[in-house]
Amino acid sequence: MSEELPPSDATDTEALDEVRATDADAWATACAEDLEAEKARRRAAYGPPPGSAAEELRKLADAVADKLSSLQSPLLGAVAGPAAQQVVRQVVQQAKAAVEPVIERNPDVFDHLAAAGNELLAAYRSAVQAQEHRWTTRDDHDLEERRDRGDDAGPGERIDLD
């Protein structure tokens, strides 16, 4: 009897650890599969998700460049048309050459700028909605306070410029 069996406690603990590891892997695998299925469903329903702000800026620059290079200028005539198109192409290429290094070095900056722009838009929208609410909910008492008490009893309204 050279082989001794380990105590039963060690075997039970190892088996329990193996079951827990298998369960954790199964749970992670199931979650990953569900996430991929949901992403595929959304891509099918809504199209591909938008890229980062830097990628969107590249797409915009490419679209503008394509549009500008395809335009025909009736004002320049047939003689100057090709030369004008060449100038437009050159300007677009120079703009892209200037923007590309900035995008490559700082792609996160564009995401932050886009988020800041969204925050500014939300703040502006909130301010406008609050002002519109005040304008639309004025009662007659407010109008009487703002009524011009000058010599003329006309329908004019006093506007305080201070």
Side-chain angles (χ1 to χ4, degrees):
M1 288 189 46
S2 64
E3 295 181 357
E4 293 184 26
L5 294 175
S8 63
D9 291 341
T11 305
D12 291 341
T13 305
E14 289 174 7
L16 186 60
D17 288 342
E18 187 176 317
V19 168
R20 284 185 187 154
T22 304
D23 287 345
D25 290 341
W27 179 256
T29 303
C31 288
E33 289 171 355
D34 289 346
L35 182 62
E36 286 302 317
E38 180 63 18
K39 285 181 181 179
R41 185 190 68 78
R42 287 188 182 198
R43 275 192 300 273
Y46 304 113
S52 69
E55 291 172 7
E56 294 299 316
L57 180 62
R58 280 191 190 109
K59 289 179 187 176
L60 176 65
D62 290 340
V64 169
D66 291 343
K67 188 65 175 175
L68 286 177
S69 63
S70 68
L71 288 177
Q72 298 287 333
S73 178
L75 298 175
L76 298 174
V79 175
Q85 284 182 346
Q86 182 63 28
V87 169
V88 168
R89 283 191 198 109
Q90 185 178 6
V91 168
V92 167
Q93 289 300 327
Q94 287 176 349
K96 285 171 70 174
V99 169
E100 281 295 324
V102 175
I103 292 172
E104 292 296 325
R105 283 183 297 207
N106 307 312
D108 294 339
V109 170
F110 292 98
D111 292 332
H112 292 296
L113 288 173
N118 288 336
E119 291 294 323
L120 285 172
L121 180 62
Y124 176 75
R125 184 178 294 132
S126 175
V128 168
Q129 287 174 346
Q131 185 62 37
E132 285 177 347
H133 180 71
R134 284 192 294 265
W135 287 339
T136 58
T137 59
R138 279 198 298 193
D139 56 1
D140 292 335
H141 179 69
D142 289 340
L143 289 175
E144 286 302 317
E145 286 179 4
R146 296 182 64 185
R147 184 93 41 210
D148 188 9
R149 305 266 193 257
D151 296 336
D152 188 13
E157 186 175 313
R158 180 176 176 271
I159 300 174
D160 188 14
L161 298 176
D162 290 334

